[in-house]
Amino acid sequence: MVDETTAPNAAGARAEQAPGSFARYLGEHVAAVDARMAAYFEHQGGNADLERYLYRPLAHFSSTGGKRVRPIICMLAARAVGGDPERARTVGEAIEHFQSAALIHDDIADNGQLRRGEPCLYRTQGTGLAINCGDMALVHVTQIILDDDGLGPAVKLEVLDELCRMMERTCEGQALELGWVRDGRFDLSVDDYLEMATLKTAHYSGAVPLAAGAIAGGGSPEQVEALRSYGLDTGLAFQIQDDLINLVGSDTDKDFRCDITEGKRTLVAVHALENPLVHDEVEQILRSGTTDPALMARAVELFEQAGSIAYAHDYALARIARAKETLSGINLDPACRELLLSMADFFVERLK
């Protein structure tokens, strides 16, 4: 799953300085989202043991949420269709609670070791308590929408329908990936990967934050569907780029190349497995669970030899280009359109 805490490299840092850029926009709004997310966990328990076993660990996990891309683009979508971005605030934060739940549960399912540079929650709190923390985060997804007096009943129902379908799609994608791991499947095609990643990541990372934000902002069906399509393409590109960063980004990242250790079926890996010249060695490394830096570097060499890293990067760029074309004929606030176009570039500039 996409976890947008990955630090940008030098090019990404340069992008953050561009006036009016999406990265700058994120920087201007992330503190406010952090503060509101933290407020959900203040004085919830009224009981020291509830604080210890539930609210404090969940609050800490939420506090490490990185750039808060999802809630911020949700509010941006409301503004883009001419609405009040505050009407989409809780919608975006509901998706952020889902992000917490999905990652907590994902780490357990994948036997992950590190998340955001720290031991996974199940490793510090135990599996049972971690599952329960994730379950509570899922409760927040719907409860904060129901409690939002700023959304009318019809809008609440439409937004909750979006969120439920988003969670359903994510679970479907997770089922594919976990099933492949359980059955030791490496007989996968690029199309198999794209279906899985679209289901598991693109809906909740891009499509639904933008579509639901537009709904909360009073957008037309045409605007909602255009933003959804834009979000599917950019969300998938973001996932692909996130996987590339894990392989060829900064070796100072504590999660560096953990996708190889975990045998992840990324676009790079699946593309390489289709190449008979490297298939056997790639599969052997992915099956090994290795943490040996030399062996992980060998996997990256094989990916490069098969042209898989270049293929994945080019595919992400093609999705970004298609996303931009989607917005070209849609009536949107001009400043917001520019921010959305900058967002598409930001998603792939992280590795340039």
Side-chain angles (χ1 to χ4, degrees), residues 322-351:
R322 190 170 80 170
K324 289 182 175 182
E325 183 63 26
T326 298
L327 293 190
S328 63
I330 302 300
N331 180 29
L332 297 172
D333 174 86
C336 293
R337 184 194 302 277
E338 289 305 310
L339 282 169
L340 287 166
L341 295 174
S342 176
M343 172 187 117
D345 292 331
F346 170 79
F347 279 1
V348 290
E349 278 172 350
R350 297 176 301 152
L351 198 60

Side-chain angles (χ1 to χ4, degrees), residues 45-337:
N47 176 297
D49 281 346
L50 283 176
E51 289 292 330
R52 177 183 180 187
Y53 298 132
L54 178 59
Y55 293 112
R56 192 179 307 142
L58 183 52
H60 175 74
F61 187 88
S62 178
S63 72
T64 63
K67 299 178 180 67
R68 305 293 192 188
V69 171
R70 292 164 191 84
I72 291 173
I73 66 173
C74 188
M75 296 177 72
L76 176 60
R79 180 182 155 203
V81 299
D84 180 358
E86 280 299 305
R87 287 180 54 82
R89 178 173 60 82
T90 54
V91 180
E93 289 161 8
I95 297 170
E96 196 74 353
H97 285 302
F98 174 73
Q99 158 86 341
S100 292
L103 294 179
I104 291 168
H105 290 160
D106 195 50
D107 288 338
I108 296 168
D110 290 346
N111 193 31
Q113 300 302 301
L114 293 173
R115 172 66 66 182
R116 300 165 176 169
E118 298 182 0
C120 295
L121 192 67
Y122 80 94
R123 296 184 61 208
T124 61
Q125 302 297 319
T127 300
L129 286 175
I131 290 173
N132 196 56
C133 284
D135 290 346
M136 178 56 82
L138 287 175
V139 171
H140 286 305
V141 174
T142 54
Q143 191 63 56
I144 66 172
I145 300 299
L146 293 172
D147 290 343
D148 187 349
D149 294 333
L151 296 175
V155 173
K156 284 184 182 183
L157 283 175
E158 194 170 358
V159 166
L160 287 172
D161 182 65
E162 288 285 338
L163 296 179
C164 287
R165 292 180 188 279
M166 172 193 76
M167 292 187 281
E168 184 179 15
R169 296 290 86 77
T170 306
C171 289
E172 289 174 343
Q174 180 78 328
L176 289 175
E177 186 171 56
L178 291 174
W180 296 341
V181 172
R182 187 197 70 180
D183 294 345
R185 295 276 305 280
F186 286 97
D187 59 331
L188 304 170
S189 68
V190 165
D191 286 343
D192 291 328
Y193 166 84
L194 294 173
E195 180 182 12
M196 180 276 294
T198 298
L199 289 168
K200 182 178 176 180
T201 300
H203 285 279
Y204 95 89
S205 288
V208 172
L210 290 170
I215 290 167
S220 69
E222 182 185 32
Q223 289 172 318
V224 170
E225 293 312 311
L227 287 167
R228 186 194 309 282
S229 177
Y230 175 84
L232 276 175
D233 280 334
T234 55
L236 182 58
F238 191 39
Q239 176 66 68
I240 293 168
Q241 201 75 341
D242 211 54
D243 293 340
L244 285 168
I245 289 172
N246 186 267
L247 295 175
V248 296
S250 171
D251 60 7
T252 61
D253 185 347
K254 292 181 181 179
D255 297 336
F256 186 56
R257 292 181 176 168
C258 68
D259 285 353
I260 296 172
T261 301
E262 296 173 14
K264 289 283 183 71
R265 280 71 165 170
T266 63
L267 181 58
V268 172
V270 170
H271 182 268
L273 287 165
E274 290 185 333
N275 187 320
L277 297 178
V278 302
H279 175 280
D280 290 350
E281 191 174 356
V282 167
E283 181 175 338
Q284 182 180 19
I285 294 172
L286 292 175
R287 287 187 184 277
S288 71
T290 184
T291 58
D292 179 358
L295 197 53
M296 291 192 288
R298 174 57 181 163
V300 173
E301 288 178 5
L302 293 168
F303 294 153
E304 290 175 338
Q305 181 182 331
S308 302
I309 289 175
Y311 174 84
H313 187 55
D314 289 346
Y315 191 91
L317 291 175
R319 284 284 179 152
I320 291 298
R322 190 170 80 170
K324 289 182 175 182
E325 183 63 26
T326 298
L327 293 190
S328 63
I330 302 300
N331 180 29
L332 297 172
D333 174 86
C336 293
R337 184 194 302 277

